[in-house]
Amino acid sequence: MNSIDLAFTTATEQARLIRCKDISPLDLVEVYLERIQRLNPILGSYVFVAAEQAIADAKAKTEVLMNTPAAELPAFFGVPISIKDLNPVAGLPCAYGVKILKNRIATEDDGVVTKLKQAGLIILGKTATSEMGMLPYTEPRGFAPARNPWSLEHTPGGSSGGAAAAVAAGLGAIAQASDGGGSVRGPAFCCGLVGIKPSRGRISYAPVGERLNGLATNGAMGRTVADAAALLDVMSGYVPGDPYWLADPEPSFFEAAHIPPKRLRIAYCTAILPVGEADENCRQAILNTAALLEQLGHSVEAKEFVDVSDLIEPFTTVFQAVLNEVGIPDLVLGKMCRWFAWRARFCSSGKYLRAVTKLQAIARQIVEFFDTIDVLVLPTYMHPAIRVGAWAKERPRKTLENIVNWIAPCAPFNASGQPAIALPTGFTPEGLPMGVQLVGRPAEEATLISLAAQIEAAQPWSHHRPAFAVQE
């Protein structure tokens, strides 16, 4: 197998090859580090590359591999992964996309990082995020913008834009990401990947805790449903003291990816209020998927989704509050984050609590929508990826309007805490990735994963590789 094919091999297959001793962890790390060194200066997907630590870990794991029965190795033993630059990794910088924090070294691992290490994964480095994870494009001041490997003039999305660009370009097979308003699903959509936002409480935010009243969660990104599901398995689990939690799945999410779904009641919608209809590319992806699902034997119907007009203001009120809480001076922040921080300063505690109550009321309406269906098929975003810098000269209020009109289908399910999967379905005539979003009932990730795997089998896409990423 040549180095390009190895770089684009699924993570679960990489783990199998390592167990069989067909490749070593060191072989795999060296392939990815060479690709990162060559491609990342253009792509901007990694902001910190942990080459020395990754090589040392790979050498140690290669030694262990020679002396340990395969059955005793953890699930992803020796497989490389990236960590989003909102999650601390001991000994590596954690800048949160803020220029003045570039040299701030984390002293301990985030809880989800600990779980990834326990699964045997090797950390290649930290991937780019928008400033404080606040925006759906990844262009923080003081960093090179992250670019989409399918079209370098376009964004890979945000805030997990670096993670998506890295996986799509073969600079890692899987990636840890996080989603507070679409930040796993949007970049997966922009880059032609599978992105899973799990249910609230599926993945712990220990030891620090989650500051957005349950809107945000860590999530999994990969090129196949099975890879993303297997990564979700190792990230999941309750930690004592978590404010909300779910029982471990049975069977596992990886197993769910190999179990055909029962006949499901599926609704689809090509519009979301107050934005209106998705653009023609996104609309057609929904209609094509609905037709495929009907062919696969499911009960499929068009159904108008809940009007989420009243979600925008309380969602923004809660989301922007984190900028005041972290204590970073406004002057060092970019234009949008400065504006959000300024707005947050004029928000009383009473207004904040009213916003939380409003979100909870809207969430009830959203969950009730699923009383008569199992899965909803929606656009992930309302139109394909924007160009890098497209909104850089806009006033903040206009940029927020643009953002809402782009990512509107994502935020409702951060409010409701429901699981959702972004799934690629093809390409626009211009060559940009296209896809849909599958949304399930609370705690029913397994249903979504089984259905997504069925769609994937009917119309495979993981063999597609960006031309940028396959040049020697």
Side-chain angles (χ1 to χ4, degrees):
M1 186 184 298
N2 64 40
S3 63
I4 292 176
D5 287 341
L6 185 56
F8 281 93
T9 296
T10 65
T12 48
E13 176 63 8
Q14 289 175 352
R16 188 192 70 79
L17 292 171
I18 289 171
R19 277 191 178 78
C20 295
K21 299 182 174 61
D22 292 333
I23 60 172
S24 73
L26 184 59
D27 293 333
L28 206 46
V29 165
E30 287 179 337
V31 164
Y32 282 127
L33 288 178
E34 185 278 329
R35 291 180 62 78
I36 291 168
Q37 183 180 33
R38 181 161 47 89
L39 300 178
N40 194 64
I42 300 169
L43 200 61
S45 56
Y46 283 84
V47 289
F48 304 108
V49 181
E52 290 184 11
Q53 296 95 320
I55 288 173
D57 193 8
K59 286 180 176 178
K61 282 184 166 64
T62 299
E63 185 68 26
V64 169
L65 178 66
M66 297 301 109
N67 301 291
T68 305
E72 296 180 13
L73 298 172
F76 280 112
F77 183 82
V79 175
I81 193 171
S82 62
I83 306 297
K84 184 177 177 179
D85 195 34
L86 294 182
N87 297 75
V89 177
L92 297 184
C94 190
Y96 304 97
V98 179
K99 180 180 178 181
I100 64 165
L101 299 181
K102 275 187 176 183
N103 297 319
R104 176 183 175 274
I105 305 299
T107 57
E108 63 179 352
D109 289 334
D110 190 12
V112 75
V113 172
T114 299
K115 290 194 174 190
L116 296 173
K117 287 182 176 180
Q118 290 169 346
L121 288 149
I122 296 173
I123 294 171
L124 290 171
K126 304 295 291 296
T127 51
T129 178
S130 59
E131 192 173 68
M132 297 300 296
M134 295 291 290
L135 301 170
Y137 44 89
T138 306
E139 304 166 22
R141 287 200 312 173
F143 297 83
R147 297 180 179 276
N148 194 320
W150 294 99
S151 170
L152 296 174
E153 298 306 310
H154 288 81
T155 182
S159 62
S160 306
V167 174
L171 306 188
I174 49 176
Q176 173 271 337
S178 58
D179 191 316
S183 290
V184 168
R185 292 160 288 162
F189 164 77
C190 289
C191 293
L193 302 173
V194 179
I196 303 178
K197 182 201 85 70
S199 297
R200 182 176 298 143
R202 181 66 69 193
I203 299 175
S204 173
Y205 257 102
V208 175
E210 188 269 323
R211 294 180 168 91
L212 289 173
N213 270 284
L215 296 179
T217 178
N218 284 285
M221 211 177 269
R223 282 190 295 276
T224 67
V225 174
D227 264 12
L231 181 56
L232 181 58
D233 277 325
V234 303
M235 297 170 76
S236 298
Y238 169 74
V239 174
D242 285 344
Y244 19 72
W245 62 90
L246 297 171
D248 292 337
E250 184 59 46
S252 71
F253 295 132
F254 178 71
E255 290 172 313
H258 298 86
I259 300 172
K262 65 180 182 181
R263 186 172 188 265
L264 298 170
R265 299 167 301 171
I266 299 174
Y268 69 92
C269 185
T270 61
I272 189 164
L273 295 174
V275 176
E277 280 283 339
D279 98 312
E280 184 54 32
N281 290 300
C282 296
R283 183 176 178 276
Q284 195 59 52
I286 297 293
L287 297 177
N288 292 345
T289 302
L292 173 61
L293 290 168
E294 200 160 32
Q295 292 170 20
L296 292 170
H298 299 287
S299 171
V300 181
E301 64 170 324
K303 190 172 182 180
E304 186 175 318
F305 185 56
V306 177
D307 183 344
V308 293
S309 302
D310 291 340
L311 178 71
I312 298 167
E313 185 58 34
F315 194 99
T316 307
T317 295
V318 172
F319 210 83
Q320 68 194 14
V322 73
L323 289 170
N324 273 359
E325 187 270 338
V326 295
I328 296 174
D330 293 0
L331 289 177
V332 307
L333 297 174
K335 179 169 61 175
M336 282 303 295
C337 282
R338 281 201 310 274
W339 185 67
F340 282 132
W342 174 81
R343 281 169 48 107
R345 279 202 303 275
F346 291 94
C347 177
S348 68
S349 58
K351 181 179 178 182
Y352 180 88
L353 290 174
R354 286 191 294 274
V356 171
T357 301
K358 184 67 173 177
L359 285 177
Q360 292 171 350
I362 295 170
R364 292 183 191 280
Q365 297 174 34
I366 294 168
V367 174
E368 286 170 1
F369 179 85
F370 286 76
D371 283 350
T372 58
I373 63 168
D374 300 303
V375 174
L376 174 64
V377 183
L378 276 178
T380 309
Y381 279 179
M382 298 299 280
H383 58 78
I386 62 172
R387 289 186 174 272
V388 173
W391 299 334
K393 295 181 180 179
E394 298 282 7
R395 292 179 180 273
R397 191 173 298 279
K398 177 60 177 175
T399 299
L400 178 59
E401 180 184 332
N402 291 340
I403 289 170
V404 169
N405 290 338
W406 190 29
I407 73 168
C410 284
F413 309 107
N414 294 91
S416 67
Q418 291 170 258
I421 297 180
L423 205 60
T425 60
F427 299 89
T428 68
E430 295 73 33
L432 290 171
M434 186 48 51
V436 299
Q437 177 181 201
L438 309 180
V439 184
R441 294 177 168 188
E444 292 194 10
E445 289 94 330
T447 299
L448 290 184
I449 288 167
S450 294
L451 181 62
Q454 186 182 45
I455 296 171
E456 179 182 59
Q459 51 179 34
W461 58 75
S462 61
H463 59 284
H464 292 291
R465 301 173 183 178
F468 163 79
V470 295
Q471 302 171 23
E472 291 286 359

